[in-house]
């Protein structure tokens, strides 16, 4: 139960917002929806793109760096193969070169001789015959021709199979070359192999000098293909600058070429001009050596955060002579530069998002207006229509749902207009009919009132006209019976008394008939007022006592003590009822008693009159209260009375909102019971009730 | 009741007005028997003429009469300063509910209904007369007590 309550209370504010949203105008709903959808879409797209770019930028950069590195390395490879090695190779195929080498090989010198000559070579001047012999022979001329034609090859010389010089373009430091590392690698135990040595920095040309050597091979005879000597050139690698320039052209990435152990080419990042060479210290060498090959890493490089890609030249090169050099290329781009692209693309995304948002705002506004304004128009027109402008119709301009709605509205308006017209017509007829009926009713009512007036006028006149002759009758006879009009003999007096009594009876009859007529004409007015119950009962007792004494009957009147002393009612009518019942009781009782008791019930009080008279047979109980009925005709003669008394009692009881009933047994007596509603005057109420 | 003294109205001057000769006669007889000096008229007009010549102590008048009815008679009496103080008692056969109230409201001193008998008439009359202060001088102390 508790938990449920919590849930409800948590839901309450939501439903409040929902309710507020529900009550927004349609335009706002539409517009908001469009904006929310666009904003959410753009937001999600932006976040996705941004996150993807960030995570993959390193890989993308890595590819880019690799391309740069590979392109450069291929160029380098080509230059080495064609310009550095290829030219010398072509030269090595020279017939005169081979013949000169073979000629020297055919007269081999001993090692000792060569050593002697070497010593001579070092110490001799240029004019020495040995030196002149090497520098000024035909082959030397050919070599110099070559050198002139290919200026990067600055020093070219050839040795025989023993390593002794045959011809040279320049005076070399030694005559004997076979003890040199490059010569042995090229000679390769007679197998022959192309050799390129680690470059050396040549300050005079501000470029790198490469030692390149190739075996000279026999071309014909049984020894064709075998190594007969070595041709060597010193190559000034000036084109490396151009290589960097073309490799770096339009690239954000910068390249460094690491040659041998300690030379780095490409000093200035991203600059095509510089092709400076740097001799690396131990720390720099260690740093670079730590880069894994063929993998992009993000690391500190040249003291800034970089994305770095290292490519071993050997991995790309087709030439085995390059493999041994251990050269590699480092392509790198500063993280700041790389991510500037992301920043840029993010900026583009943000700008396009904003543009999209603006576009959506404008378009959404337009679309919302487009949808809502016909609804507005419809609403306004509907208001006009309901305000009573029945000829209002909506223009049906479009064929969409709104158009259908407008059409339906117009149809409805037609129907309503038609119905209104019918209704008005009906109203008019109805009004006329109502007026007609009202007039009829008024007439009928006037007639009824006239009839009532006539009836009561008749009653009044009847009363007056019947009383007037009785006045004379009773007046004169009373004078005579009272002995105020002279003396009469007993017989005459008896007759006069009979006349008087009959006059009284006639008066009683007239009164009763008039009472009954008044009750039935609705002219009997009931006057409710407080009265004392005990006083009233006392009056009854003293008024009727005479009748009891005349017949020698016991007569008691008892009032329940629990009843309030004062009650509210029409005392005169109640008295009329009681007197009538008591008169009857005395009339029909010859011996015994007549007892009147007043008792209280919850909301009523009861007057019962019990006698020990002749009683009423069962069949008569049904009509005893009807007008002019007594038990039978003979009783009327015997007991007198109009037969109207009980009818009046019954009618009076009804008028007082009470009732009368009778129980009886022939020969034993009758009990008439009148029940009346109990009303208590305010003054008589218990204190607490009065306060309320 | 039976013991109303025969001279109870001795010294009273009473005017009775009624268009019914029998009713007039019965009333005149009873009043005369009990000692009153009685004059009669058969309508309001006659009543007025008598009042102007012979001033009664009180007047008993019928209501429905020709020429001038009881209401008109009362109006004329009340309108005249010299007669306005004379008590007028209505004696009429109009016994419907509301008739009595209308009469009292119009200015009748009291209202008695026909038919009358000697007993009821005298009894009611004496009861009414005792309550009229202007007439108190007519009553002996004993009578006042009995009333």
């Amino acid at each position: 139960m508790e938990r449920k309550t919590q849930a409800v209370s948590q839901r309450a504010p939501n439903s409040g917002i929902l309710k507020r949203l529900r009550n927004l105008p349609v335009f706002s709903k539409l517009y908001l929806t469009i904006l929310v959808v666009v904003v959410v879409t753009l937001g999600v797209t932006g976040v996705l793109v941004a996150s993807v770019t960030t995570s993959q930028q390193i890989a993308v950069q890595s590819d880019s760096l690799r391309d740069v590195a590979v392109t450069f390395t291929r160029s380098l490879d080509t230059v080495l193969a064609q310009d550095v090695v290829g030219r010398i190779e072509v030269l090595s195929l020279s017939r005169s070169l081979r013949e000169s080498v073979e000629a020297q090989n055919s007269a081999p010198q001993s090692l000792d001789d060569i050593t002697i000559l070497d010593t001579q070579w070092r110490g001799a001047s240029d004019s020495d015959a040995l030196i002149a012999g090497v520098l000024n022979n035909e082959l030397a001329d050919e070599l110099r021709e070559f050198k002139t034609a290919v200026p990067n090859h600055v020093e070219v010389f050839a040795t025989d199979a023993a390593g002794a010089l045959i011809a040279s373009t320049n005076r070399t430091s030694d005559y004997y070359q076979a003890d040199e590392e490059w010569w042995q690698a090229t000679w390769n135990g007679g197998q022959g192999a192309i050799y390129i040595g680690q470059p050396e920095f040549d300050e005079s040309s501000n470029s790198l000098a490469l030692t390149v050597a190739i075996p000279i091979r026999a071309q014909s005879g049984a020894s064709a293909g075998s190594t007969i000597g070595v041709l060597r050139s010193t190559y000034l690698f000036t084109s490396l600058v151009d290589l960097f320039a073309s490799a770096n052209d339009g690239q954000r990435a910068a390249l460094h070429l690491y040659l041998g152990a300690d030379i780095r080419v490409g000093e200035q990042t991203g600059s095509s001009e510089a092709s400076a060479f740097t001799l690396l210290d131990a720390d720099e060498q260690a740093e670079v050596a730590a880069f894994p090959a063929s993998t992009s890493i993000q690391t500190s490089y040249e003291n800034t955060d970089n994305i770095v890609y290292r490519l071993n030249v050997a991995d790309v090169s087709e030439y085995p002579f390059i493999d041994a050099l251990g050269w590699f290329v480092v392509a790198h781009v500063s993280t700041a530069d790389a991510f500037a692209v992301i920043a840029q693309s993010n900026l583009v995304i943000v700008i396009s998002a904003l543009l999209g948002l603006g576009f959506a705002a404008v378009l959404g506004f337009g679309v919302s207006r487009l949808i809502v304004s016909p609804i507005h128009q419809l609403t306004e027109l509907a208001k006009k229509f309901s305000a009573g402008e029945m000829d209002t119709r909506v223009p049906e301009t479009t064929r969409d749902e709104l158009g259908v709605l407008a059409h339906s509205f117009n149809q409805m308006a037609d129907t309503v207009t038609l119905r209104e017209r019918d209704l008005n017509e009906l109203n008019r007829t109805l009004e006329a009919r109502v007026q007609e009926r009202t007039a009829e009713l008024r007439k009928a009512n006037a007639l009824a009132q006239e009839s009532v007036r006539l009836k009561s006028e008749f009653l009044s006149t009847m009363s007056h006209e019947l009383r007037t002759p009785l006045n004379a009758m009773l007046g004169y006879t009373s004078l005579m019976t009272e002995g105020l009009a002279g003396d009469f003999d007993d017989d005459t007096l008896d007759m006069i008394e009979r006349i008087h009594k009959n006059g009284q009876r006639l008066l009683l009859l007239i009164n009763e008939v008039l009472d009954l007529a008044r009750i039935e004409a609705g002219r009997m007015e009931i006057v409710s007022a407080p009265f004392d119950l005990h006083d009233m009962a006392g009056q009854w007792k003293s008024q009727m006592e005479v009748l009891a004494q005349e017949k020698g009957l016991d007569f008691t009147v008892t009032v329940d003590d629990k009843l309030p002393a004062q009650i509210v009612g029409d005392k005169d009518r109640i008295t009329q009822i009681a007197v009538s019942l008591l008169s009857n009781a005395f009339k029909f009782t010859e011996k015994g008693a007549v007892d009147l008791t007043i008792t209280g019930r919850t909301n009523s009080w009861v007057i019962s009159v019990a006698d020990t008279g002749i009683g009423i047979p069962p069949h008569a109980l049904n009509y005893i209260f009807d007008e002019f009925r007594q038990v039978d005709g003979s009783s009327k003669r015997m007991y007198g009375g109009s037969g109207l008394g009980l009818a009046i009692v019954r009618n009076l009881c009804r008028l007082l909102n009470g009732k009368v009933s009778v129980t009886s047994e022939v020969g034993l007596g009758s009990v008439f019971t009148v029940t009346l509603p109990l009303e208590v005057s305010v003054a008589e109420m218990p204190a607490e009730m009065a306060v309320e | 009741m039976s013991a109303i003294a025969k001279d109870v109205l001795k010294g009273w001057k009473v005017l009775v007005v009624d268009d019914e000769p029998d009713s007039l006669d019965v009333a005149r007889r009873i009043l005369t028997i009990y000692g009153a000096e009685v004059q009669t008229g058969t309508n309001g007009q006659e009543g007025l003429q008598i009042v102007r010549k012979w001033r009664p102590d009180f007047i008993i008048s019928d209501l429905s009469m020709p020429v001038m009815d009881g209401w008109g008679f009362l109006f004329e009496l009340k309108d005249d300063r010299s007669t306005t103080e004379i008590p007028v008692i209505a004696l009429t056969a109009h016994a419907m509910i509301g008739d009595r109230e209308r009469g009292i409201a119009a200015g009748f001193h009291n209202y008695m209904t026909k038919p009358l008998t000697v007993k009821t008439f005298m009894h009611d009359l004496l009861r009414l007369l005792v309550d009229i202060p202007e007439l108190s001088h007519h009553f002996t102390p004993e009578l006042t007590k009995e009333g």
Side-chain angles (χ1 to χ4, degrees):
Chain A
M1 201 60 199
E2 213 167 281
R3 197 180 293 172
K4 204 172 182 181
T5 313
Q6 261 184 340
V8 167
S9 71
Q10 279 172 351
R11 212 176 300 152
N14 276 346
S15 68
I17 290 168
L18 277 179
K19 197 175 180 184
R20 222 175 297 163
L21 279 176
R22 263 207 300 276
N23 288 335
L24 277 178
V26 174
F27 174 79
S28 305
K29 266 183 226 162
L30 263 176
Y31 197 28
L32 266 179
T33 307
I34 291 172
L35 286 186
V36 165
V37 165
V38 168
V39 166
V40 166
T41 308
L42 288 177
V44 167
T45 309
V47 167
L48 280 177
V49 166
S51 67
V52 163
T53 308
T54 308
S55 63
Q56 294 193 339
Q57 185 63 16
I58 292 173
V60 170
Q61 286 295 324
S62 169
D63 286 349
S64 158
L65 291 174
R66 187 177 179 280
D67 287 348
V68 171
V70 166
T71 305
F72 172 74
T73 308
R74 290 243 164 83
S75 308
L76 180 68
D77 199 40
T78 306
V79 169
L80 288 173
Q82 291 177 356
D83 200 39
V84 180
V85 176
R87 299 295 179 131
I88 297 291
E89 248 180 343
V90 171
L91 181 62
S92 75
L93 299 177
S94 160
R95 185 184 186 87
S96 53
L97 173 65
R98 281 208 307 272
E99 279 171 1
S100 299
V101 174
E102 278 171 350
Q104 179 134 343
N105 282 346
S106 63
Q109 299 166 285
S110 70
L111 191 60
D112 290 343
D113 292 342
I114 293 169
T115 307
I116 291 162
L117 286 172
D118 188 52
T119 309
Q120 182 188 334
W121 178 276
R122 275 185 251 179
S125 68
D126 287 352
S127 57
D128 184 270
L130 174 64
I131 294 169
V134 170
L135 294 180
N136 294 326
N137 56 32
E138 277 179 36
L139 184 58
D141 291 342
E142 193 185 335
L143 293 178
R144 267 190 292 274
E145 268 174 49
F146 171 76
K147 184 182 147 183
T148 307
V150 188
N152 277 2
H153 291 268
V154 290
E155 185 188 62
V156 185
F157 60 89
T159 70
D160 60 10
L165 275 176
I166 300 168
S168 174
T169 55
N170 304 74
R171 174 169 173 182
T172 59
S173 53
D174 295 308
Y175 174 77
Y176 180 59
Q177 301 289 348
D179 55 349
E180 299 285 341
E181 184 248 331
W182 62 265
W183 191 93
Q184 288 166 8
T186 308
W187 180 253
N188 196 22
Q191 294 290 309
I194 297 171
Y195 169 85
I196 291 178
Q198 294 294 2
E200 285 171 11
F201 184 60
D202 179 52
E203 281 187 42
S204 62
S205 61
N206 190 30
S207 66
L208 292 176
L210 283 176
T211 299
V212 53
I214 63 166
I216 303 166
R217 299 185 188 276
Q219 287 293 312
S220 55
S223 61
S226 65
T227 305
I228 54 176
V230 172
L231 183 62
R232 179 205 139 132
S233 166
T234 299
Y235 181 80
L236 281 181
F237 205 166
T238 53
S239 62
L240 202 52
V241 179
D242 296 332
L243 272 183
F244 272 103
S246 63
N248 273 344
D249 193 26
Q251 298 287 343
R252 218 176 10 265
L255 277 173
H256 281 159
L257 173 62
Y258 289 86
L259 303 172
D262 57 355
I263 297 177
R264 185 177 71 197
V265 188
E267 178 71 23
Q268 284 169 313
T269 305
S271 165
S272 58
E273 262 178 59
S275 160
F277 306 96
T278 308
L279 294 179
L280 301 178
D281 60 25
D283 288 346
E284 287 169 319
Q285 288 174 42
E287 183 190 41
V288 172
F291 297 163
S294 305
T295 307
S296 203
I297 57 161
Q298 188 174 349
T299 182
S300 176
Y301 183 66
E302 294 184 326
N303 299 321
T304 50
D305 198 26
N306 269 270
I307 299 171
V308 174
Y309 184 85
R310 171 179 150 159
L311 178 67
N312 289 330
V313 175
D315 294 344
V316 177
S317 177
E318 296 170 20
Y319 305 105
F321 52 82
I322 292 173
D323 296 357
L325 295 171
W327 294 357
F328 57 90
V329 170
V330 170
H332 62 98
V333 64
S334 78
T335 312
D337 280 356
F339 288 173
V341 179
I342 305 175
Q344 205 177 338
S345 72
N346 282 351
L347 191 66
V348 168
I349 288 166
V350 167
I351 287 170
S352 15
L354 286 177
L355 282 176
L357 197 61
F359 183 64
V362 173
L363 191 72
F365 190 82
V367 168
S368 304
R369 278 296 294 266
L370 203 66
I371 293 171
V372 171
S373 64
I375 296 176
H376 265 299
Q377 194 187 18
L378 190 62
T379 309
E380 288 306 313
L381 290 174
K383 271 187 201 160
K384 262 185 168 182
F385 183 79
S386 63
E389 292 182 32
M390 301 301 288
D391 51 353
T392 304
R393 292 295 181 274
V394 183
E396 298 172 27
T397 46
T398 57
R399 282 191 180 179
D400 57 4
E401 288 87 340
L402 293 172
V404 172
L405 188 61
H407 183 66
S408 306
F409 176 83
N410 286 340
Q411 275 185 332
M412 182 205 70
D414 288 344
T415 313
V416 169
T417 309
L418 213 64
R419 242 175 242 171
E420 172 102 354
R421 207 174 299 146
D422 288 353
L423 209 62
N424 282 341
E425 186 60 34
L426 199 66
N427 264 350
R428 261 198 298 281
T429 348
L430 204 63
E431 225 163 273
R433 219 179 293 166
V434 165
Q435 278 174 351
E436 207 175 295
R437 286 285 158 83
T438 310
E440 279 170 20
L441 274 175
R442 211 170 279 152
K443 210 187 282 177
N445 194 31
L447 271 175
Q449 278 180 348
E450 177 66 9
S451 145
V452 166
R453 197 184 61 77
L454 285 175
K455 210 168 175 181
S456 71
E457 216 172 79
F458 172 75
L459 282 175
S460 183
T461 309
M462 274 295 289
S463 168
H464 185 266
E465 294 309 312
L466 289 172
R467 278 165 199 276
T468 303
L470 264 180
N471 189 46
M473 239 176 97
L474 292 175
Y476 284 122
T477 49
S478 73
L479 274 172
M480 288 187 272
T481 55
E482 292 291 326
L484 299 172
D487 294 327
F488 303 95
D489 58 62
D490 286 351
D491 199 33
T492 312
L493 196 59
D494 181 51
M495 286 189 288
I496 292 169
E497 277 176 353
R498 282 172 195 270
I499 295 169
H500 187 75
K501 267 189 185 151
N502 277 290
Q504 293 280 18
R505 246 177 84 184
L506 188 55
L507 177 61
L508 185 71
L509 187 59
I510 290 166
N511 281 341
E512 283 181 345
V513 167
L514 288 174
D515 270 351
L516 205 59
R518 267 195 306 214
I519 291 169
E520 285 178 354
R523 297 278 297 169
M524 179 70 85
E525 286 169 32
I526 300 301
V527 183
S528 261
F531 61 87
D532 191 302
L533 200 56
H534 291 273
D535 281 359
M536 185 178 68
Q539 280 167 21
W540 297 348
K541 167 88 170 159
S542 59
Q543 187 179 340
M544 305 308 285
E545 190 71 60
V546 189
L547 292 176
Q549 284 168 3
E550 275 177 5
K551 287 192 156 181
L553 299 172
D554 287 338
F555 177 39
T556 62
V557 174
T558 45
V559 180
D560 190 347
D561 284 339
K562 277 173 263 172
L563 273 165
Q566 284 243 317
I567 64 171
V568 175
D570 192 328
K571 183 186 171 189
D572 290 344
R573 300 297 146 222
I574 296 167
T575 299
Q576 194 178 347
I577 292 167
V579 167
S580 183
L581 291 176
L582 285 170
S583 300
N584 270 349
F586 285 119
K587 195 188 289 176
F588 294 107
T589 307
E590 293 307 322
K591 55 177 184 176
V594 171
D595 298 306
L596 184 146
T597 52
I598 298 176
T599 50
R601 296 201 186 146
T602 316
N603 291 313
S604 58
W605 59 292
V606 176
I607 307 168
S608 43
V609 177
D611 64 52
T612 54
I614 58 170
I616 305 159
H619 69 272
L621 289 175
N622 293 325
Y623 54 76
I624 194 87
F625 292 106
D626 292 347
E627 287 85 354
F628 297 108
R629 295 299 287 268
Q630 284 183 333
V631 173
D632 53 45
S634 62
S635 73
K636 192 183 281 180
R637 283 189 295 277
M638 192 169 171
Y639 299 102
S642 62
L644 290 176
L646 286 177
I648 291 171
V649 165
R650 184 187 60 182
N651 282 319
L652 283 175
C653 283
R654 284 180 187 163
L655 272 178
L656 296 170
N657 294 320
K659 62 181 185 195
V660 60
S661 60
V662 62
T663 57
S664 182
E665 218 168 307
V666 175
L668 291 178
S670 309
V671 180
F672 285 83
T673 307
V674 173
T675 307
L676 296 169
L678 182 62
E679 289 179 60
V680 179
S681 67
V682 175
E684 270 298 312
M685 281 187 195
E688 65 267 27
M689 275 175 79
V691 169
E692 266 181 72
Chain B
M1 196 70 224
S2 55
I4 294 177
K6 284 284 170 56
D7 58 349
V8 73
L9 293 176
K10 194 176 172 64
W12 296 73
K13 291 157 76 179
V14 184
L15 171 61
V16 183
V17 182
D18 199 322
D19 65 322
E20 285 284 332
D22 293 347
S23 294
L24 194 59
D25 186 51
V26 168
R28 187 187 55 79
R29 277 175 189 270
I30 297 172
L31 290 166
T32 308
I33 284 165
Y34 284 93
E37 187 185 339
V38 180
Q39 292 219 10
T40 59
T42 58
N43 62 53
Q45 201 70 60
E46 282 185 24
L48 274 178
Q49 286 168 6
I50 293 164
V51 169
R52 280 176 199 138
K53 287 184 291 191
W54 182 77
R55 190 188 160 91
D57 290 307
F58 65 92
I59 299 166
I60 295 174
S61 174
D62 189 18
L63 290 179
S64 300
M65 292 181 290
V67 185
M68 179 187 279
D69 66 10
W71 309 98
F73 182 38
L74 180 73
F75 180 81
E76 293 296 333
L77 289 170
K78 294 293 162 192
D79 200 37
D80 187 338
R81 191 171 292 175
S82 64
T83 58
T84 188
E85 295 293 329
I86 303 173
V88 185
I89 296 165
L91 176 61
T92 172
H94 287 292
M96 302 297 280
I97 286 181
D99 288 342
R100 180 188 164 81
E101 285 69 24
R102 264 197 299 281
I104 301 291
F108 285 103
H109 183 78
N110 223 311
Y111 197 95
M112 297 197 293
T113 50
K114 297 174 187 173
L116 56 76
T117 64
V118 175
K119 275 185 189 171
T120 58
F121 179 68
M122 282 309 291
H123 181 253
D124 290 351
L125 184 63
L126 287 174
R127 192 161 48 82
L128 296 182
L129 294 178
V130 168
D131 287 341
I132 302 173
E134 291 89 334
L135 305 178
S136 60
H137 61 277
H138 283 290
F139 294 103
T140 60
E142 296 80 42
L143 184 87
T144 310
K145 229 184 272 171
E146 198 213 7

